[in-house]
């Protein structure tokens, strides 16, 4: 097994000491699980070693696994919500690495096995609101993305982060057609990306991520519409300007760069005032920032959310 | 012949109810996936459009085969298209908007694909309302036929409604659009040909006749 350690950066510099100590504890506790993860390829359904349930979790009833893993937008595999679940098993998720570069001190390419060891894995039960007007409650597994981003020491000039999804023409029929501008690219402001709620997700329901949900590693930004949360990420690039993003390029008046969940700003083709929680008959009112206003509202103080939708 | 047509109508009637039965059973057994209401609403819309196209295909089929009796199935097909359009509309009004008339009004005004969908439905209403023998008599065959050409813009708008609803991949609405183009194109061609008077008598337009 290949374990690359950053000799030049002591982990204590990257992470607060308490977290670092906790991580050592976690590694001991999880060594067996992590080994079995790292050696052969991890497969959807394999158990993940989870340290704790994050206090950032919602108490709402999670959406059943079969719906979370059976109702997906993953245009790389084709159109239709059931299509990704039928086709995504072909995606090669091992070997997998993520390149972090751009405006950083230490550009690096990290193997997924090493990324999994950067921080203790947590259960994070988040609301997910799709721009199409439906929502779920998903028990993700992962850790705050900031733990990954700090590895490369962003320069002070870095203001934005761009996330690039994988393109595998032989396993992803959708990328053979220019439906979207491949690779799928999403972006966040650096402060959004560093926010504790922003998640590097590697699993759900305590298990390795099903491919159709964006294995082996994806972004989750729970206060933004789902399309912001790029799947199957291979590259994270730090920039000083707002990066072009896929849906925004396609239809700027329908999909903004910010794409914060906002019941007051309607999409040109549908109202965003309400949503149907998968499994519910009645619709429910959509909440500002998808119910995370207390945590993230201050990120947008002074920003005209009608203009920067 | 009358008996055979009655039998054909009975079979057709049952066939036209099959999609409804499918969705009824699927709802009951919960096999419509994670978002059954969306699947149902879209499915009903699909069938309204399909039956509209099948209705439009009757005349070309009649002309190609010479089977005049096909015309006598057309009304039922058209009414079933309207039936599924009604169900599609009710699914939207009820399951999507829960009869929130303010929101519905806003949708119709602000969202082009809803505007167009509603316009399509409105075009179909007078056709369904004048589908009875009594109405054909009252209007007179020629005026009735002219009115019922509203099915042409209705088919075009239905495809537009579908196209504008779709997020990226417009393959499916484009296929329906191609079928509409063929079905309407044929009519344009006949008109052009008729004007030149080159058609054999059996290809001429058969005036609508009411059987008493």
């Amino acid at each position: 097994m290949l374990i690359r350690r950053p000799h030049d950066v002591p982990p204590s510099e990257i992470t607060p000491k308490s977290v670092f100590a906790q991580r050592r504890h976690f590694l001991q506790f999880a060594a067996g699980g992590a080994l079995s993860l790292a050696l052969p390829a991890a497969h959807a359904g394999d158990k993940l070693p989870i340290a704790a349930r994050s206090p950032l979790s919602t108490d709402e009833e999670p959406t059943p696994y079969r719906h979370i893993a059976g109702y997906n937008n993953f245009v790389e595999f084709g159109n239709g919500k059931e299509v990704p679940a039928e086709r995504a098993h072909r995606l090669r998720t091992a070997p997998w690495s993520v390149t972090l570069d751009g405006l950083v001190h230490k550009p690096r390419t990290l193997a997924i096995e090493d990324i999994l060891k950067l921080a203790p894995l947590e259960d994070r039960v988040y609301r997910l609101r799709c721009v199409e007007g439906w929502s779920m409650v998903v028990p993700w597994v992962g850790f705050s993305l900031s733990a990954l981003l700090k590895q490369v020491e962003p320069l002070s000039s870095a203001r934005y982060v761009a996330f690039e999804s994988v393109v595998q023409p032989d396993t992803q029929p959708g990328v053979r057609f220019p439906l979207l501008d491949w690779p799928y690219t999403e972006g966040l402001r650096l402060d959004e990306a560093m926010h504790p709620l922003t998640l590097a997700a590697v699993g759900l329901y305590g298990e390795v991520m099903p491919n159709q949900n964006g294995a082996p590693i994806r972004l989750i930004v729970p206060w933004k519409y789902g399309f912001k949360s790029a799947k199957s990420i291979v590259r994270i690039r730090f920039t000083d300007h707002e990066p072009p993003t896929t849906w925004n390029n396609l239809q700027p008046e329908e999909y903004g760069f910010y794409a914060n969940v906002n019941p007051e700003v309607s999409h040109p083709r549908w109202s965003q005032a309400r949503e149907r929680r998968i499994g519910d008959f009645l619709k429910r009112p959509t909440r500002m920032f998808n119910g995370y206003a207390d945590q993230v509202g201050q990120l947008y103080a002074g920003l005209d959310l009608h203009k920067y939708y | 012949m009358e008996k055979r047509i009655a039998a054909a109508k009975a079979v057709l009637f049952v066939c036209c109810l099959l999609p409804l039965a499918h969705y009824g059973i699927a709802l009951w057994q919960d096999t419509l996936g994670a978002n059954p209401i969306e699947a149902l609403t879209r499915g009903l819309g699909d069938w309204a459009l399909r039956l509209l196209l099948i209705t439009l295909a009757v005349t070309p089929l009649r002309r190609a085969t010479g089977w005049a009796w096909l015309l006598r199935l057309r009304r039922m097909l058209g009414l079933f298209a309207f039936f599924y359009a009604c169900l599609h509309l009710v699914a939207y009004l009820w399951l999507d908007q829960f009869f929130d008339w303010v929101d519905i009004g806003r949708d119709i005004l602000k969202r082009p694909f809803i505007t167009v969908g509603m316009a399509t439905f409105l075009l179909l209403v007078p056709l369904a309302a004048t589908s009875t023998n009594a109405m054909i008599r009252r209007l007179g065959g020629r005026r009735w036929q002219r009115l019922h050409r509203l099915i042409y813009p209705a088919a075009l708008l239905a495809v537009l409604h579908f196209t504008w609803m779709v997020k990226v991949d417009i393959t499916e609405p484009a296929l329906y659009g191609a079928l509409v183009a063929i079905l309407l194109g044929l009519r344009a061609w006949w008109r052009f040909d008729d004007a030149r008077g080159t058609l054999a008598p059996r290809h001429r337009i058969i005036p609508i006749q009411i059987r008493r």
Side-chain angles (χ1 to χ4, degrees):
Chain A
M1 187 174 70
L2 181 69
I3 301 179
R4 269 170 296 189
R5 288 230 158 266
H7 297 292
D8 43 354
V9 192
S12 54
E13 254 180 51
I14 305 163
T15 323
K17 189 148 189 222
S18 61
V19 176
F20 170 63
Q22 194 186 336
R23 182 193 301 161
R24 304 305 321 175
H25 174 73
F26 162 75
L27 279 178
Q28 285 156 11
F29 153 78
L35 271 174
S36 66
L37 256 174
L39 276 173
H43 292 292
D46 289 356
K47 284 281 171 214
L48 284 168
I50 291 157
R53 178 187 164 95
S54 165
L56 297 167
S57 291
T58 168
D59 294 328
E60 288 159 279
E61 177 75 16
T63 304
Y65 183 91
R66 68 175 197 284
H67 291 333
I68 297 174
Y71 190 72
N72 309 96
N73 282 318
F74 201 159
V75 189
E76 283 88 334
F77 289 100
N79 262 287
K81 298 281 194 303
E82 281 81 25
V83 169
E86 290 161 14
R87 297 181 178 169
H89 61 93
R90 297 169 58 200
L91 183 79
R92 282 184 309 279
T93 57
W96 193 279
S97 60
V98 180
T99 298
L100 295 101
D101 60 1
L103 300 175
V104 297
H105 282 292
K106 300 195 166 86
R108 296 179 65 181
T109 296
L110 289 164
I112 186 72
E113 293 80 5
D114 297 333
I115 293 172
L116 284 169
K117 289 170 209 145
L118 290 176
L121 296 182
E122 299 171 359
D123 273 322
R124 294 245 194 139
V125 189
Y126 280 170
R127 290 177 288 276
L128 172 82
R129 170 63 155 80
C130 178
V131 71
E132 296 165 2
W134 52 268
S135 63
M136 293 182 178
V137 175
V138 187
W140 301 110
V141 178
F143 51 77
S144 289
L145 179 72
S146 58
L148 176 58
L149 299 187
K150 282 174 187 163
Q151 296 296 310
V152 291
E153 299 173 29
L155 297 173
S156 58
S157 54
R159 300 274 321 283
Y160 292 89
V161 192
F163 302 86
E164 210 176 280
S165 296
V166 74
V167 176
Q168 284 180 9
D170 58 325
T171 70
Q172 297 177 315
V175 302
R176 294 173 214 156
F177 307 94
L179 288 174
L180 295 174
D181 203 2
W182 314 116
Y184 191 97
T185 307
E186 260 310 334
L188 295 173
R189 257 175 18 199
L190 186 58
D191 58 342
E192 297 175 323
M194 297 298 281
H195 192 280
L197 273 175
T198 303
L199 188 69
V202 296
L204 59 87
Y205 267 107
E207 299 173 353
V208 169
M209 189 80 79
N211 289 355
Q212 61 269 31
N213 291 84
I217 184 164
R218 69 171 295 178
L219 176 66
I220 291 295
V221 195
W223 70 92
K224 292 176 182 281
Y225 293 117
F227 70 89
K228 289 299 290 183
S229 296
K231 297 184 173 85
S232 305
I233 290 170
V234 292
R235 188 170 177 213
I236 299 175
R237 199 162 30 87
F238 295 74
T239 66
D240 55 2
H241 58 274
E242 189 179 292
T245 57
T246 301
W247 283 101
N248 183 244
N249 280 353
L250 187 78
Q251 272 156 336
E253 66 292 342
E254 298 201 358
Y255 309 98
F257 174 80
Y258 281 91
N260 291 316
V261 175
N262 188 341
E264 286 153 29
V265 176
S266 61
H267 182 281
R269 282 187 287 168
W270 44 80
S271 158
Q272 297 291 27
R274 288 176 300 159
E275 67 199 54
R276 175 169 279 120
R277 180 68 54 85
I278 293 301
D280 284 2
F281 176 69
L282 292 172
K283 289 188 172 183
R284 63 179 67 206
T286 288
R287 297 162 69 191
M288 191 66 203
F289 295 114
N290 201 21
Y292 296 99
D294 287 348
Q295 291 101 311
V296 300
Q298 81 284 353
L299 291 177
Y300 308 103
L303 193 73
D304 180 355
L305 295 175
H306 284 265
K307 190 173 170 211
Y308 297 97
Y309 53 85
Chain B
M1 191 63 189
E2 284 307 306
K3 262 189 184 167
R4 269 204 233 157
I5 286 181
K9 279 186 176 176
V11 171
L12 192 62
F13 189 88
V14 172
C15 285
C16 288
L17 283 173
L18 288 179
L20 183 64
H22 161 75
Y23 283 104
I25 293 166
L27 272 183
W28 182 257
Q29 298 188 332
D30 193 17
T31 54
L32 284 179
N35 200 343
I37 291 172
E38 184 190 73
L40 174 73
T41 309
R42 293 197 178 168
L44 292 169
D46 284 344
W47 280 103
L49 177 56
R50 283 169 198 159
L51 282 159
L52 208 57
L53 297 196
I54 292 171
T55 308
L56 274 173
V58 169
T59 297
L61 208 61
R62 193 260 301 159
R63 290 174 76 124
T65 59
W67 298 341
W69 56 268
L70 280 173
L71 264 192
R72 296 177 60 192
L73 305 177
R74 189 172 60 179
R75 166 162 52 192
M76 188 192 291
L77 289 166
L79 282 172
F80 265 112
F82 182 68
F83 173 66
Y84 280 98
C86 286
L87 293 177
H88 177 57
L89 178 64
V90 167
Y92 161 74
L93 295 176
W94 178 26
L95 304 174
D96 214 48
Q97 296 287 12
F98 295 95
F99 303 113
D100 183 333
W101 298 107
V102 176
D103 265 15
I104 291 166
R106 207 175 293 152
D107 252 9
I108 294 171
L109 292 177
K110 280 175 66 179
R111 314 198 195 286
F113 91 95
I114 305 256
T115 317
V116 167
M118 214 53 87
T120 313
F121 182 77
L122 289 180
L123 287 179
L124 294 179
V125 171
L127 307 196
T130 59
S131 64
T132 60
N133 288 347
M135 284 309 286
I136 299 173
R137 265 196 298 276
R138 236 170 97 181
L139 285 169
R142 193 160 280 277
R143 273 165 72 201
W144 184 90
Q145 258 177 336
R146 210 175 296 152
L147 175 68
H148 278 245
R149 290 200 185 112
L150 283 178
I151 193 177
Y152 305 158
L156 288 168
L157 289 180
V159 171
L160 191 63
H161 167 62
F162 192 3
T163 310
W164 282 352
M165 192 265 309
V166 164
K167 266 171 84 184
V168 252
D169 184 2
I170 58 159
T171 312
E172 211 184 333
L175 282 175
Y176 284 109
L179 288 174
V180 169
I182 292 168
L183 291 168
L184 298 190
L186 277 173
R187 286 163 169 85
W189 170 250
W190 295 331
R191 195 162 258 260
F192 171 70
D193 238 24
D194 277 358
R196 291 196 313 184
T198 54
L199 283 184
R202 84 179 173 94
H203 285 131
R204 287 262 162 76
I205 290 166
I206 296 179
I208 194 88
Q209 280 170 1
I210 305 152
R211 311 190 81 88
R212 279 154 228 247

